[in-house]
């Protein structure tokens, strides 16, 4: 083994050790991986030249010489890629296509070395060592020279420019050490591998693989002395800047932008190159924010100069970053001081996009506002319920109108108001609250067709405005009002009058306010009609039948009010189970109300026509559960008979429960269903059969020991009419009720 083979073997071992050492520091680091590949390429070159220098014959020498081309021809490209990673040229080295283009010339040169001729015409054995006889006049020699020198010069330029632009002292020292070491090695390599052979001077063989140790040693020194490839705060910062979802701007000590992270480039639309070197004052568009940021930077500098141990390392600030499109993004930023060896290296401005946060805050505020509205309307509903209950106890129109006005003002938190009744073509003020003399004089009497209340009285629509100042500025200022709500007092389709309330401030009217006002208008109108009817009935009472008719009417109306209250209650709950319970309760109330309706519509007040009542009840039940996708066919067979009030009400409730149960559950997956109801008189009393062709009842149902509310009601109500409930086995649900007509003698 000659001297050059021995030296090549030594550097081969060094290359391998250094390469694996760097990789072991951080296997996931792209920089460490690139350095490892460069070291392995140099190691392959050195290993091949170990055997090339001492080859026994030319054939063996050519074999190892060609093998060395895998490291000899590729190492300039690999060093350039390493330099791109070292100097953080992310847009280039992360692009696989660009990396392939950088390596492509090296692969061509390797291929040409094997297929030849390339830059070496022949191998010459001198003093027991093989030398290259270079073809320095060939095109391949020119191409390879440009490749070798050009790639290395670009690598040197990148390292030098990185050292000049960085604000970190450690990186400057790393750059200078690697640059000067590589420049010296490049010169020596050109001298021994190109200049001397081209002059036919063979005093020194091609030892580029050995000279390359200079560059590797320089990087090695940076690894051990400057911790180039370990995860120090600087490298951690680089990794964080690449991965962090916040926007990061690095400023040098003078406040110039030295770097931004990819997240900022993506969100704002500015490139790294367009921002680098700009002073922060040219980047922040808002003058006030610019001044505040400058003050915070000066504060951090001052605290650092004082060397105070408890000085803050960062300051919070709210800014608006400009985008390339011309708008701005609100951010919450943290300006932090960066030091290196107790010197100010610059500042880091880490900003978080606040658009989503602002949106969430707005949504939370809207939800809180909605919750407040719900609370307000629950309170309003409770007051409305109390008002409706009290209306049924009031017997004079004046008392009714006063109660209505007070409740309406309280519900909307308004200050002034009045109630008008229609008399001929006029609206006359019947009662008011807090009207001064001027307001009373202007609002005591209106023509029915006078605006803005004409449509209200003719169409029955509600009129609301939270800016009366725009409608009538002069009166709004004079009377100190800004909000207005007017609602008609309706009884069925007849408009009896109008309720008007005024507020001093703008009132955020919601749809719920309108619904409540309209409910007050309907209930007041109905109560006015009731009071008027009561007065007429009492004054014109001739016999017991007239009074009983009105009693049944009132009972029916009261039940409709209960049904209306239940219906209003469903508005304020989103729980479908609660809604279903309320709807079922409404159905039971309607079945009883229908009895009273039949009573006061007939000549007799003690007996109800069973067929007519059953038809009306079943038609209403089926209509409530009918849908375009499902048809329910009713088979009603009721004998011509009449039953008294004490029998018909429990019977109607039983039928309501059984039919509702069938409509809810029997035909869920069916397009058509058959419901059969038959009532006939028997020798023992009466028999009612309720049957459907649906899915049937669960086998575990025990009619005698049921726990469901519906069947418990059926059992209890059947006992009231001395009835027996039978569950007949069938494909669907089949109930048979045997009952008696009940007579209570002690009625009054």
């Amino acid at each position: 083994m000659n001297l050059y083979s021995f030296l090549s073997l030594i550097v081969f071992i060094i290359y391998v050790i250094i390469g694996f050492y760097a990789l072991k520091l951080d296997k996931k680091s792209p920089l460490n991986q690139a350095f490892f590949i460069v070291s392995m390429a140099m190691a392959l070159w050195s290993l091949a030249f170990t055997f090339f220098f001492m080859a026994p014959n030319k054939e063996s020498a050519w074999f190892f010489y060609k093998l060395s081309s895998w490291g000899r021809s590729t190492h300039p490209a690999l060093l350039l890629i390493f330099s791109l990673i070292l100097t953080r040229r992310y847009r280039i080295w992360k692009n696989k296509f660009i990396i392939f283009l950088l390596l492509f010339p090296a692969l061509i040169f390797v291929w040409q070395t094997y297929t030849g001729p390339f830059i070496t015409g022949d191998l010459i054995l001198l003093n027991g060592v093989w030398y290259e006889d270079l073809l320095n006049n060939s095109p391949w020699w020119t191409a390879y020279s440009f490749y070798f020198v050009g790639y290395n010069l670009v690598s040197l330029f990148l390292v030098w420019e990185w050292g000049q632009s960085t604000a970190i002292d450690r990186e400057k020292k790393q750059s200078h050490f690697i640059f000067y070491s590589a420049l010296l090695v490049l010169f020596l390599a050109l001298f021994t591998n190109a200049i001397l052979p081209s002059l036919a001077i063979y005093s020194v063989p091609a030892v580029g693989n050995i000279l390359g140790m200079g560059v590797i040693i320089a990087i090695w020194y940076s690894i051990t002395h400057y911790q180039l490839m370990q995860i120090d705060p600087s490298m951690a910062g680089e990794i964080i800047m690449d991965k962090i979802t916040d926007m990061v701007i690095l400023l040098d000590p003078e406040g110039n932008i030295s770097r931004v992270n990819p997240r900022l480039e993506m969100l704002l639309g500015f490139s790294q190159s367009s921002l680098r070197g700009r002073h922060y004052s040219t980047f922040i568009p808002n003058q006030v924010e610019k001044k505040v940021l400058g003050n915070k930077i000066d504060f951090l500098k001052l605290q650092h100069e004082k060397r105070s141990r408890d000085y803050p390392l960062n300051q919070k600030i709210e800014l608006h970053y400009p985008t390339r499109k011309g708008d701005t993004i609100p951010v919450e930023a943290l300006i932090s001081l960066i030091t290196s060896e107790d010197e100010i290296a610059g500042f880091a401005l880490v900003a978080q996009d606040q658009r989503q946060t602002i949106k969430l805050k707005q949504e939370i505020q809207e939800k809180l506002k909605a919750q407040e509205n719900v609370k307000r309307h629950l309170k309003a509903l409770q007051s409305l319920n109390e008002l409706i209950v009290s209306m049924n106890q009031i017997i004079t129109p004046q008392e009714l109108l006063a109660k209505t006005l007070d409740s309406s003002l309280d519900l909307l938190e308004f200050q002034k108001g009045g109630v008008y009744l229609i008399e001929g073509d006029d609206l006359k003020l019947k009662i008011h609250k807090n009207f001064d003399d001027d307001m009373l004089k202007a609002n005591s009497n209106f023509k029915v067709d006078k605006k803005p209340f004409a449509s209200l009285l003719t169409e029955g629509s509600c009129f609301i405005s939270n800016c009366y100042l725009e409608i009538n500025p002069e009166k709004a200022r004079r009377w100190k009002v800004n909000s207005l709500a007017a609602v008609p007092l309706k009884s069925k389709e007849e408009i009896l009058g109008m309720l008007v309330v005024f507020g001093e401030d703008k009132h955020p009217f919601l749809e719920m306010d309108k619904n409540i006002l309209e409910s007050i208008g309907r209930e007041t109108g109905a109560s006015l009609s009731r009071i008027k009817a009561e007065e007429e009935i009492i004054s014109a009472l001739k016999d017991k039948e007239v009074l009983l008719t009105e009693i049944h009417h009132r009972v029916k109306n009261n039940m409709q009010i209960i049904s209306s209250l239940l219906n209003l209650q469903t508005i304020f709950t989103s729980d479908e189970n609660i809604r279903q319970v309320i709807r079922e309760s409404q159905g039971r109330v309607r079945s009883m109300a229908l009895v009273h309706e039949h009573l006061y519509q007939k000549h007799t007040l003690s007996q109800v026509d069973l067929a007519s009542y059953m038809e009306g009840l079943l038609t209403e039940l089926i209509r409530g559960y009918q849908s375009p996708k499902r048809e329910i066919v009713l088979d009603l067979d009721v004998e011509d008979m009449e039953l008294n009030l004490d029998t018909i009400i429990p019977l109607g409730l039983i039928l309501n429960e059984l039919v509702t149960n069938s409509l809810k559950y029997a035909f869920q997956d069916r397009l058509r269903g058959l419901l059969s109801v038959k009532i006939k008189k028997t020798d023992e009393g009466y028999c009612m059969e309720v049957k459907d062709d649906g899915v049937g009842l669960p086998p575990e149902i025990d009619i005698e020991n049921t726990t469901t509310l519906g069947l418990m009601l059926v059992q209890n109500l059947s006992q009231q009419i001395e009835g027996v409930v039978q569950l007949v086995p069938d494909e669907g649900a089949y109930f048979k009720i045997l009952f008696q007509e009940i007579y209570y003698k002690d009625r009054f």
Side-chain angles (χ1 to χ4, degrees), residues 406-602:
D406 289 340
S407 298
S408 301
L409 292 174
D410 182 61
L411 285 172
L412 296 177
E413 298 180 353
F414 280 8
Q415 296 77 33
K416 305 175 182 181
V419 182
Y420 298 80
L421 293 181
I422 296 177
E423 294 182 3
D425 294 332
D426 295 328
L427 265 175
K428 291 190 176 182
L429 182 66
K430 294 300 180 181
I431 191 169
H432 70 87
K433 191 168 187 178
N434 296 330
F435 279 11
D436 56 26
D437 293 340
D438 179 59
M439 195 172 183
L440 183 61
K441 182 179 179 181
N443 295 278
S444 61
N445 190 61
F446 293 107
K447 288 295 182 183
V448 173
D449 57 353
K450 183 178 179 181
K451 293 183 178 180
F453 307 121
S455 61
L456 181 145
L457 297 171
T458 56
E459 301 174 8
S461 57
C462 184
F463 177 83
I464 57 176
S465 173
N466 63 358
C467 196
Y468 187 60
L469 187 64
E470 296 178 0
I471 298 175
N472 198 324
E474 190 271 331
K475 289 183 178 179
R477 294 189 184 96
R478 196 170 68 198
W479 298 336
K480 297 180 181 180
V481 297
N482 210 356
S483 298
L484 166 67
V487 63
L489 307 180
K490 298 174 64 175
S491 176
K492 296 184 179 178
E493 298 302 321
E494 182 184 4
I495 298 177
L496 305 178
M498 174 180 67
L499 165 69
V500 184
V501 289
F502 301 91
E504 295 179 356
D505 303 317
K506 283 190 175 183
H507 181 81
F509 284 107
L510 302 176
E511 186 67 25
M512 204 68 68
D513 292 320
K514 182 179 178 182
N515 293 336
I516 290 175
L517 285 171
E518 289 177 345
S519 297
I520 291 176
R522 286 193 300 269
E523 297 301 333
T524 303
S527 295
L528 278 173
S529 296
R530 172 184 59 78
I531 292 173
K532 182 179 179 181
E534 288 176 351
E535 290 175 346
E536 291 175 354
I537 290 171
I538 292 173
S539 63
L541 185 59
K542 295 180 179 179
D543 54 38
K544 178 181 175 181
E545 272 191 10
V546 177
L547 181 59
L548 288 176
T549 299
E550 183 57 21
I551 290 173
H552 284 300
H553 193 181
R554 288 186 61 181
V555 171
K556 181 251 184 181
N557 284 346
N558 289 342
M559 289 184 175
Q560 284 185 333
I561 290 172
I562 295 172
S563 181
S564 296
L565 291 175
L566 292 172
N567 190 49
L568 281 173
Q569 193 64 46
T570 60
I571 298 175
F572 299 95
T573 179
S574 59
D575 192 320
E576 189 57 33
N577 291 330
I578 295 177
R579 289 189 176 200
Q580 186 60 42
V581 171
I582 293 174
R583 284 195 290 266
E584 290 175 358
S585 299
Q586 284 182 281
R588 294 168 186 136
V589 171
R590 283 196 301 268
S591 70
M592 292 187 289
L594 193 60
V595 173
H596 293 281
E597 183 177 0
H598 275 266
L599 284 172
Y600 75 73
Q601 287 178 350
K602 301 296 181 181

Side-chain angles (χ1 to χ4, degrees), residues 6-46:
F6 176 74
L7 291 176
S8 295
L9 180 61
I10 295 300
V11 297
F12 160 72
I13 296 172
I14 294 174
Y15 284 139
V16 172
I17 293 174
I18 289 177
F20 276 100
Y21 175 82
L23 187 64
K24 185 179 178 181
L25 290 178
D26 187 359
K27 294 180 181 179
K28 295 183 179 180
S29 168
L31 188 65
N32 294 40
Q33 294 171 356
F35 180 76
F36 173 77
I37 294 173
V38 172
S39 299
M40 293 303 103
M42 297 298 291
L44 177 61
W45 184 5
S46 297

Side-chain angles (χ1 to χ4, degrees), residues 108-119:
I108 293 295
F109 295 148
V110 172
W111 174 78
Q112 189 64 22
T113 300
Y114 274 90
T115 58
F118 186 45
I119 62 173

Side-chain angles (χ1 to χ4, degrees), residues 621-639:
L621 286 173
I622 292 175
R623 185 186 300 116
Y625 287 87
Q626 190 78 277
S627 70
K629 297 183 179 179
R630 186 175 65 189
E631 179 185 8
I632 306 299
V633 178
L634 174 63
D635 178 17
L636 179 63
D637 183 8
V638 179
E639 291 183 5

Side-chain angles (χ1 to χ4, degrees), residues 610-623:
L610 186 60
S612 176
Y613 170 70
M614 291 299 178
E615 183 177 4
L617 176 61
L618 291 171
T619 300
E620 188 170 349
L621 286 173
I622 292 175
R623 185 186 300 116

Side-chain angles (χ1 to χ4, degrees), residues 223-258:
I223 294 173
T224 57
H225 187 71
Y226 295 115
Q227 297 181 327
L228 176 62
M229 297 189 187
Q230 293 181 358
I231 301 297
D232 62 1
S234 175
M235 285 192 65
E238 294 296 332
I239 295 172
I240 291 172
M241 282 191 67
D242 284 343
K243 303 298 183 183
I244 194 171
T245 57
D246 293 338
M247 291 177 277
V248 182
I249 300 176
L250 296 184
L251 305 176
D252 63 18
E254 287 72 38
N256 299 314
I257 298 175
S258 60

